[in-house]
Amino acid sequence: MSDLAPGAKLRLVGSAGALFVVVVGEVFPAEYIASRIESGEWQHAPKPRKRANGA
């Protein structure tokens, strides 16, 4: 749960497949995020791939 430190930004994928970002804090406490991930409702998003043209 070290990646759930206050202020951390997490890229997640919801149950419908939508990519979104949450910031650990008052609105999304670490315990809430962890429970959603453990239940399978949210998943960590894959790291973005670098573009071949360097953009």
Side-chain angles (χ1 to χ4, degrees):
M1 201 149 125
S2 62
D3 60 338
L4 296 179
K9 291 182 181 179
L10 300 173
R11 293 174 37 124
L12 300 169
V13 177
S15 58
L19 177 67
F20 62 99
V21 176
V22 296
V23 178
V24 181
E26 190 175 324
V27 177
F28 291 103
E31 298 80 19
Y32 177 77
I33 296 169
S35 70
R36 296 289 180 141
I37 292 171
E38 289 172 12
S39 73
E41 187 173 348
W42 294 352
Q43 298 176 0
H44 287 281
K47 299 242 183 217
R49 290 187 272 162
K50 294 189 179 201
R51 294 183 171 181
N53 64 3

